[in-house]
Amino acid sequence: MPRGRHRHSPPLHRMLPPSAIAGVSVVCALAPWVFTQPVVLRLLAAAAAVTAIVGAVVMRHWDAQAGKRVADLTRARASDEWRFEERVAELESDLEESRELRMKLEQRLRAKRAELAGLRNEHAALLRRYAAAEAERANVLEERRVLEIEAAVPARALPP
């Protein structure tokens, strides 16, 4: 890619060959109206022939360059399309892999949630058993305290 002052080349180098060929052709076409000598007419005919040959060579050169540019652009487009299709295929495979990974992670998450729910249920059951055991222990301690109080108080004798 051109840089600096040559980035936008002036159109003179593109316009000079066709304008020179056209100018020589116009001069060769109008000169027989001015000159009538056979030598001059022959020279004009030769100049017109040379101009036609040079014009044909220039046009052929332009055609070859245009063909090369078209081939390069076609090749670049095919390469871009191929890269695009390859990228789409890569993205589709990445999408499939991510879906599989997501499904696997969702299954693991469901398993962990189920395990957590089981642990919560087990914890709640243990808390209930602990509360029941503590309540029973409190009842036993209360009964023991009542028995100790009753044992500590002397029994009153029955009146005779």
Side-chain angles (χ1 to χ4, degrees):
M1 180 174 183
R3 300 184 193 284
R5 64 188 175 110
H6 301 291
R7 179 173 292 163
H8 303 292
S9 58
L12 182 62
H13 77 280
R14 287 179 287 180
M15 295 303 294
L16 189 59
S19 56
I21 292 170
V24 171
S25 297
V26 168
V27 168
C28 289
L30 295 178
W33 290 54
V34 177
F35 302 106
T36 57
Q37 292 88 8
V39 174
V40 174
L41 292 176
R42 286 184 184 145
L43 286 175
L44 289 173
V50 169
T51 303
I53 290 172
V54 169
V57 168
V58 168
M59 294 294 256
R60 180 68 182 138
H61 178 69
W62 286 354
D63 186 44
Q65 283 183 339
K68 286 179 185 176
R69 253 183 275 141
V70 167
D72 289 344
L73 291 174
T74 304
R75 198 173 321 114
R77 181 187 299 148
S79 174
D80 288 344
E81 288 175 356
W82 182 78
R83 266 188 260 132
F84 173 75
E85 290 174 1
E86 186 174 308
R87 183 70 179 140
V88 166
E90 287 175 3
L91 291 175
E92 287 175 350
S93 66
D94 289 347
L95 177 65
E96 288 298 321
E97 289 175 4
S98 65
R99 283 182 181 164
E100 291 172 4
L101 181 62
R102 180 179 171 207
M103 287 181 6
K104 189 184 298 183
L105 290 174
E106 284 178 353
Q107 288 174 350
R108 284 179 51 194
L109 179 63
R110 274 189 241 113
K112 292 292 182 183
R113 283 182 177 163
E115 181 182 351
L116 182 61
L119 289 173
R120 283 183 182 150
N121 290 338
E122 185 178 340
H123 183 256
L126 286 173
L127 286 177
R128 283 191 298 274
R129 283 178 50 198
Y130 178 73
E134 282 297 315
E136 190 174 330
R137 182 174 164 257
N139 286 339
V140 167
L141 286 176
E142 182 63 26
E143 289 174 5
R144 192 180 295 170
R145 188 181 68 81
V146 168
L147 287 177
E148 286 177 0
I149 291 174
E150 289 177 359
V153 175
R156 290 188 189 168
L158 290 174

